[in-house]
Amino acid sequence: MGEHTLTLDNLNPNVKVMEYAVRGPLVIRAGEIEKELEKGTKKPFNEVIKANIGDCHAMGQQPITFIRQVLALVTYPPLLDDPKFPEDAKQRARTILAGCRGGSVGSYTDSPGIEVIRRHVAQYIQERDGIPADWQNVVVSAGASDAIRNVLKLLICEVNGKRPGVMIPIPQYPLYSASLAEFNMPQIGYYLNESTNWGLDVSELQRAISEARKTCHPRAIVIINPGNPTGQVLSRENIEAIIKFAYKEKLFIFADEVYQHNIYAPGSKFYSFKKVLIEMGEPYSKMELASFMSCSKGYMGECGLRGGYAEVINMEPQVKAMYLKAISAMLCPTVLGQACLDIVMNPPKKGEPSYELFQKEKNEVLESLKLRAKMVADTFNSMEGFSCNTVQGAMYAFPQMKLPPKAIEAAKKAGKAPDVFYAFELLENTGICIVPGSGFGQQPGTYHFRTTILPQPDKLKGMLDKFAQFHKQFLSKYS
Amino acid sequence: MGEHTLTLDNLNPNVKVMEYAVRGPLVIRAGEIEKELEKGTKKPFNEVIKANIGDCHAMGQQPITFIRQVLALVTYPPLLDDPKFPEDAKQRARTILAGCRGGSVGSYTDSPGIEVIRRHVAQYIQERDGIPADWQNVVVSAGASDAIRNVLKLLICEVNGKRPGVMIPIPQYPLYSASLAEFNMPQIGYYLNESTNWGLDVSELQRAISEARKTCHPRAIVIINPGNPTGQVLSRENIEAIIKFAYKEKLFIFADEVYQHNIYAPGSKFYSFKKVLIEMGEPYSKMELASFMSCSKGYMGECGLRGGYAEVINMEPQVKAMYLKAISAMLCPTVLGQACLDIVMNPPKKGEPSYELFQKEKNEVLESLKLRAKMVADTFNSMEGFSCNTVQGAMYAFPQMKLPPKAIEAAKKAGKAPDVFYAFELLENTGICIVPGSGFGQQPGTYHFRTTILPQPDKLKGMLDKFAQFHKQFLSKYS
């Protein structure tokens, strides 16, 4: 033979074109540099700071004690007899175990998750919105990404001979562009308005969809609120306008609301799409909507446990049956991820032994993130050629930078986009790993990057100082 | 509006056609019956016995202590100070935590898994086969299903204007038929030979591929060894013949080897496809092969934790880069599933404090499964109109039954396939839930079902007695 049966020429073409910048070449290089440092290679820095990914614990955030206690209890039930574990943690653990077949987290669950956990999710949503939620509309998943892809793939179908398009924000979280590429669904980018703190203009939605209708059949709109990578929190009025637009254009709404706990700016408040849509009354309250949530963000930051859910409302019943059938081939989401979700949905209540510690740990994380959100935006705004919108929520800043023409030329020579060139220079000189704006999308001719606000306060300050110093040198080198 | 934007008419057509019998209508009905029993509805039985799915702990199998201890330790590290946990469990936990960013299982890992765990997998494979294994060929996954689908989707590409076909055994595990349907890849069924204990005849492979070449481009062959649902263990000679066939036909080999620990019959021995292929030397040793393993089966049966891996050898390097890129959009497999895999790959060694308990628990499970494998086959063989091959391995029996013409007529009237009709009658009358053969595929005109051998010995005996009684009544009703 000598030759391979699977080659670049006959590889899935959708896989070839997909990109996932948050884990792209820059991150691969960062990993290499880490290994070089381990081997003792001399660099102008001692460590790589991974500000490229919303990976809370990796950046030193401590897990919430109560979550980990319940997980240890369900994993190793002999601990239920250990007096060191608080009673409310044991009660949560017993409830979860009672929902597991054979009383073991090692059993498969129903594909949409353990019933009692789905009920806790519905209760959480109901309390959050003040609107009834049906546990049978809740589908538990291995993180929000899994849930998003499972709903998205239902829409893969040509309509009137046209490919199914999905509206996504630009800049966007690259899970969407990567999944749409894999599913061979055209992406219809709508630009967020940087001059109104990444607001969402209906006129821009209209422009984007009108143009897209020439070549595809728009079927859905994705909104990320609070925004990733942009950090904005949408106002209720803005959400209403988007819902009206989606109604007029017959779009299925994907509300990516995984940062719903991460609201920092004074005056900003989280409204779920479900709440607004239901409160708008008919006909809007009958629209199809999927809302996504995750254990990976918020105050818990349990990215590695892979817990999340979709709440899907107003789906046509036969379609819903097909949706549930489609997820069944993957058996079930990880039970320990489900257990983590259960605790986030059903945290210690006032009067329970763990209540105070839980609240303290939760508030400390959120308060600290709030300070860091401001620190990051303020620092970038103090740097020459930078402008950074207020980080109202989520875990990221997405500053714009003006690059000198000579830098743009140097990038061209290096065969890189200017923002990618800048990010590589930053990485090689300081160890700071960010994601260039082109990985998320940006207005042509503008240059951005996404940085998380997750390094712990001291480290973040050090990182921003190094960043400012690098930027000065970069400017003087290329001016 | 009044109408839905997503309807059966414009739903992903691949989702519409996919079927996953292990969780199909029969299992849904079983769930309903369970709820009816809870509510006090009178039935001729007190409980539903789920013999439809290889869900070990659900059927009363106890978790392996050492696995759960390590998982509790990595989840809640303060337990590392608890003297009740053995030192070797703590050592394993420390190694895993050292591989986690920020020392937390709540951090994302590299998409193909934590490096030290990949190294342990490679070491396990090396010891199993006596052949070197490269940790960089190991991709950790959320169960084997996840790994299989991720490799399978690389092959979605028309070749010479023909759709990409994949050879799968009939009967097969429906993950394959469901995934191929979802990916719109033609399935090329090759029949296993029931008269040689579900052996694999190369002449049948040849017949199947020759016929398929008229309409599609065969790209890969799936072999399940030990067999699911058929329980056979392939001989080394059989594996060699299959490899030669795959070489001649330029097929990518998928070796589903998740039951590699589950070997029961005297004289049966597990040979990995990798071992055989490498030992055959060139040109075979250069062939592309993906082998899959899981924490859900074996002696551990940790289905709910979702741990597994693929070892992919001889993949073209650029293709491998694309494969790794494609999985990165899903971030990473659950870290606790990875941790479980780590322990299965690196169990307590002789001399370590947990060695004896671990061996005892492991051997008890496997010995008991061995007895049950024999009990199930013997019982079915003693029943009128049944014939059941030896369950050499895995966790299932797939007996054939002759159904009387009147039963076949009654099934037709009920609009059901005869084996489905039988399975529903069995469920409604006894509470026993099995999966009809048509969910896996069978020779036209033959009727089978799959039952697991997993109910605990007493319960299994009771189940088989009830089954035999039902069958007698069924025969007398329809004769």
Side-chain angles (χ1 to χ4, degrees):
Chain A
M1 185 141 90
E3 51 192 276
H4 290 89
T5 178
L6 178 58
T7 65
L8 270 194
D9 288 335
N10 60 29
L11 176 71
N12 183 340
N14 299 337
V15 166
K16 270 191 270 189
V17 297
M18 72 182 278
E19 295 294 345
Y20 189 68
V22 176
R23 300 207 154 197
L26 207 85
V27 184
I28 292 169
R29 177 66 193 132
E32 289 168 6
I33 292 177
E34 274 185 329
K35 294 220 156 182
E36 292 170 17
L37 285 172
E38 271 171 36
K39 282 183 196 147
T41 312
K42 286 255 175 295
K43 302 261 176 196
F45 51 87
N46 302 322
E47 63 167 340
V48 170
I49 301 179
K50 292 211 171 150
N52 59 296
I53 188 164
D55 194 359
C56 314
H57 295 190
M59 301 313 285
Q61 183 180 313
Q62 292 306 304
I64 300 288
T65 304
F66 188 74
I67 292 178
R68 295 306 189 86
Q69 286 175 330
V70 176
L71 288 177
L73 289 162
V74 297
T75 305
Y76 190 55
L79 291 172
L80 287 164
D81 299 325
D82 187 329
K84 283 201 298 297
F85 283 79
E87 205 39 56
D88 47 355
K90 290 181 182 174
Q91 179 260 316
R92 296 294 190 292
R94 287 194 197 97
T95 304
I96 294 167
L97 289 173
C100 293
R101 299 198 177 97
S104 169
V105 294
S107 300
Y108 292 121
T109 71
D110 290 345
S111 305
I114 296 174
E115 183 176 322
V116 67
I117 298 179
R118 297 167 76 194
R119 288 183 184 275
H120 286 154
V121 173
Q123 213 171 309
Y124 163 88
I125 295 172
Q126 196 156 324
E127 282 164 24
R128 181 194 68 192
D129 293 342
I131 283 170
D134 180 349
W135 69 272
Q136 300 197 73
N137 288 337
V138 172
V139 176
V140 182
S141 57
S145 300
D146 182 38
I148 292 165
R149 286 165 60 93
N150 283 334
V151 181
L152 203 52
K153 72 168 66 151
L154 300 177
L155 299 170
I156 308 176
C157 181
E158 288 201 356
V159 180
N160 303 327
K162 283 180 167 171
R163 285 159 73 213
V166 176
M167 301 190 76
I168 60 172
I170 305 289
Q172 54 102 32
Y173 176 55
L175 166 73
Y176 293 101
S177 49
S179 299
L180 292 175
E182 185 187 329
F183 297 159
N184 193 24
M185 298 168 94
Q187 70 176 64
I188 307 167
Y190 62 85
Y191 286 104
L192 300 176
N193 189 342
E194 188 165 9
S195 68
T196 59
N197 215 88
W198 303 111
L200 219 151
D201 299 339
V202 170
S203 61
E204 167 60 12
L205 294 177
Q206 199 59 62
R207 178 206 64 75
I209 203 168
S210 302
E211 207 173 292
R213 282 204 189 281
K214 295 176 197 158
T215 55
C216 75
H217 182 87
R219 299 200 68 182
I221 181 167
V222 172
I223 302 102
I224 312 176
N225 177 46
N228 175 3
T230 38
Q232 83 282 20
V233 177
L234 296 182
S235 70
R236 187 180 177 115
E237 294 65 43
N238 211 168
I239 295 173
E240 281 180 12
I242 298 162
I243 291 172
K244 284 183 184 162
F245 169 81
Y247 174 76
K248 184 169 71 78
E249 303 290 347
K250 287 196 152 221
L251 301 175
F252 193 114
I253 299 174
F254 284 65
D256 180 336
E257 301 177 324
V258 301
Y259 296 98
Q260 58 191 259
H261 291 133
N262 300 96
I263 310 286
Y264 313 121
S268 288
K269 184 170 181 312
F270 172 73
Y271 294 94
S272 78
F273 266 73
K274 162 136 180 249
K275 180 185 173 70
V276 176
L277 178 144
I278 297 291
E279 289 180 350
M280 285 167 76
E282 289 201 31
Y284 307 107
S285 56
K286 298 282 183 212
M287 291 175 70
E288 293 140 282
L289 164 75
S291 160
F292 304 97
M293 178 56 180
S294 164
C295 299
S296 305
K297 310 301 170 187
Y299 56 90
M300 48 285 180
E302 293 281 10
C303 309
L305 300 185
R306 315 306 302 127
Y309 74 78
E311 185 197 17
V312 183
I313 62 168
N314 296 327
M315 186 175 255
E316 205 277 318
Q318 287 176 294
V319 171
K320 193 168 163 196
M322 292 287 170
Y323 168 40
L324 294 176
K325 181 187 74 174
I327 60 171
S328 73
M330 284 308 283
L331 299 160
C332 71
T334 152
V335 178
L336 294 174
Q338 296 189 46
C340 178
L341 178 66
D342 188 61
I343 308 154
V344 174
M345 297 290 118
N346 183 25
K349 309 257 177 301
K350 216 167 183 159
E352 289 187 318
S354 303
Y355 177 75
E356 275 169 36
L357 179 63
F358 182 89
Q359 286 297 324
K360 180 172 170 286
E361 290 177 343
K362 171 179 169 177
N363 292 337
E364 273 174 10
V365 170
L366 292 176
E367 280 305 310
S368 170
L369 284 173
K370 189 174 173 172
L371 292 176
R372 284 179 266 166
K374 192 166 171 345
M375 188 202 297
V376 169
D378 287 352
T379 308
F380 284 121
N381 279 324
S382 75
M383 282 160 61
E384 189 186 338
F386 270 78
S387 64
C388 183
N389 274 324
T390 305
V391 179
Q392 297 173 321
M395 295 177 170
Y396 314 98
F398 197 68
Q400 185 175 161
M401 53 188 177
K402 305 270 177 247
L403 294 179
K406 276 192 187 160
I408 295 172
E409 238 168 79
K412 212 177 256 174
K413 261 190 207 150
K416 289 192 173 79
D419 56 345
V420 177
F421 177 76
Y422 183 90
F424 268 105
E425 290 281 300
L426 178 72
L427 174 65
E428 298 288 352
N429 285 287
T430 66
I432 301 169
C433 184
I434 53 166
V435 186
S438 45
F440 306 92
Q442 54 198 349
Q443 287 276 12
T446 67
Y447 305 114
H448 299 77
F449 59 85
R450 185 186 85 166
T451 176
T452 73
I453 58 168
L454 292 177
Q456 293 300 299
D458 275 4
K459 190 168 263 184
L460 183 61
K461 202 176 168 316
M463 172 183 120
L464 292 171
D465 288 349
K466 267 208 280 190
F467 203 128
Q469 212 178 329
F470 163 80
H471 187 64
K472 257 190 209 156
Q473 285 162 358
F474 185 88
L475 287 189
S476 75
K477 185 170 173 190
Y478 292 106
S479 66
Chain B
M1 186 143 88
E3 52 193 272
H4 291 88
T5 179
L6 178 58
T7 65
L8 272 194
D9 288 335
N10 61 30
L11 176 72
N12 183 339
N14 299 338
V15 166
K16 271 191 270 190
V17 299
M18 73 182 277
E19 295 294 344
Y20 188 69
V22 177
R23 300 208 153 197
L26 209 85
V27 185
I28 292 169
R29 177 67 192 131
E32 288 167 5
I33 293 177
E34 274 185 329
K35 293 222 155 180
E36 292 169 16
L37 285 171
E38 272 171 34
K39 282 185 194 143
T41 313
K42 287 255 176 294
K43 302 259 174 198
F45 51 87
N46 302 322
E47 60 165 343
V48 171
I49 302 180
K50 293 211 171 151
N52 58 294
I53 187 164
D55 194 0
C56 313
H57 294 192
M59 301 311 286
Q61 183 180 313
Q62 293 305 304
I64 301 289
T65 304
F66 188 74
I67 292 180
R68 295 306 189 86
Q69 286 174 330
V70 177
L71 289 178
L73 288 163
V74 296
T75 304
Y76 190 54
L79 291 171
L80 286 164
D81 298 325
D82 187 330
K84 284 200 298 298
F85 284 78
E87 205 40 55
D88 48 354
K90 291 180 183 174
Q91 179 259 316
R92 296 293 190 293
R94 285 193 199 97
T95 303
I96 294 167
L97 289 174
C100 293
R101 300 198 176 97
S104 169
V105 293
S107 299
Y108 292 121
T109 71
D110 290 345
S111 305
I114 296 173
E115 182 176 324
V116 67
I117 298 180
R118 297 167 76 193
R119 288 184 183 275
H120 287 153
V121 173
Q123 213 170 309
Y124 163 89
I125 296 171
Q126 196 156 323
E127 282 164 24
R128 181 194 68 192
D129 293 342
I131 284 170
D134 180 349
W135 68 272
Q136 299 197 73
N137 288 336
V138 172
V139 176
V140 182
S141 57
S145 300
D146 182 38
I148 292 165
R149 287 165 59 93
N150 283 333
V151 182
L152 203 51
K153 74 170 61 152
L154 299 177
L155 299 170
I156 308 175
C157 180
E158 289 201 355
V159 181
N160 305 326
K162 283 179 168 174
R163 284 159 71 214
V166 176
M167 301 189 76
I168 59 172
I170 305 289
Q172 52 102 30
Y173 175 56
L175 167 74
Y176 293 101
S177 49
S179 299
L180 292 175
E182 185 188 327
F183 297 159
N184 193 24
M185 298 170 93
Q187 69 176 65
I188 307 167
Y190 61 87
Y191 286 103
L192 300 176
N193 189 342
E194 189 165 8
S195 68
T196 58
N197 214 89
W198 302 113
L200 219 152
D201 298 340
V202 170
S203 61
E204 167 60 13
L205 294 177
Q206 200 59 65
R207 177 207 64 75
I209 203 168
S210 302
E211 208 174 291
R213 283 207 189 279
K214 295 174 198 159
T215 56
C216 75
H217 183 86
R219 300 202 68 182
I221 182 168
V222 172
I223 302 103
I224 311 176
N225 178 45
N228 176 5
T230 40
Q232 83 282 20
V233 177
L234 296 181
S235 70
R236 188 181 175 114
E237 294 66 42
N238 211 167
I239 294 172
E240 281 179 12
I242 297 162
I243 291 170
K244 284 183 184 162
F245 168 81
Y247 174 76
K248 185 169 71 76
E249 303 289 347
K250 288 199 154 217
L251 301 175
F252 193 113
I253 299 175
F254 284 65
D256 180 337
E257 302 178 323
V258 300
Y259 296 98
Q260 58 192 260
H261 292 132
N262 300 96
I263 310 287
Y264 314 121
S268 289
K269 184 170 181 306
F270 171 73
Y271 294 94
S272 77
F273 266 73
K274 164 143 181 237
K275 179 183 173 70
V276 177
L277 177 144
I278 297 291
E279 288 180 352
M280 284 167 76
E282 291 202 28
Y284 308 107
S285 56
K286 298 280 184 214
M287 290 175 71
E288 293 139 281
L289 164 75
S291 160
F292 304 97
M293 179 54 179
S294 165
C295 299
S296 305
K297 310 302 170 189
Y299 56 90
M300 48 287 179
E302 294 281 11
C303 309
L305 299 185
R306 315 308 300 127
Y309 73 78
E311 186 198 17
V312 184
I313 62 168
N314 296 327
M315 187 174 254
E316 205 276 320
Q318 286 176 293
V319 170
K320 193 166 163 200
M322 291 286 171
Y323 168 39
L324 294 176
K325 181 188 74 173
I327 60 170
S328 73
M330 285 306 284
L331 299 160
C332 71
T334 151
V335 177
L336 294 173
Q338 296 189 47
C340 178
L341 178 67
D342 188 61
I343 308 153
V344 174
M345 296 292 118
N346 182 26
K349 309 258 176 300
K350 221 171 178 156
E352 289 187 318
S354 303
Y355 177 76
E356 276 168 37
L357 179 63
F358 182 89
Q359 286 298 322
K360 181 171 169 287
E361 291 178 341
K362 171 179 170 176
N363 292 336
E364 274 175 8
V365 170
L366 292 175
E367 279 305 310
S368 171
L369 283 172
K370 188 174 178 174
L371 293 176
R372 285 179 266 165
K374 193 166 168 349
M375 188 201 299
V376 168
D378 288 352
T379 308
F380 284 120
N381 280 324
S382 75
M383 283 161 60
E384 189 186 338
F386 270 79
S387 64
C388 182
N389 275 324
T390 304
V391 179
Q392 297 173 321
M395 295 179 171
Y396 314 98
F398 197 69
Q400 183 174 162
M401 54 188 175
K402 305 270 179 246
L403 293 179
K406 276 192 188 161
I408 293 173
E409 238 168 80
K412 212 177 256 174
K413 262 189 207 150
K416 289 192 170 80
D419 56 343
V420 176
F421 178 76
Y422 184 90
F424 267 105
E425 289 282 300
L426 178 73
L427 174 65
E428 297 288 351
N429 285 286
T430 66
I432 301 169
C433 184
I434 53 166
V435 186
S438 45
F440 305 93
Q442 54 198 349
Q443 289 276 12
T446 66
Y447 306 113
H448 299 77
F449 59 85
R450 185 185 85 166
T451 176
T452 73
I453 59 168
L454 293 177
Q456 293 301 297
D458 275 4
K459 188 167 265 185
L460 182 62
K461 202 175 167 318
M463 173 184 118
L464 293 170
D465 289 349
K466 267 207 282 190
F467 203 128
Q469 213 178 327
F470 162 81
H471 187 64
K472 258 190 208 155
Q473 284 163 359
F474 184 89
L475 287 189
S476 74
K477 184 171 172 189
Y478 292 106
S479 69

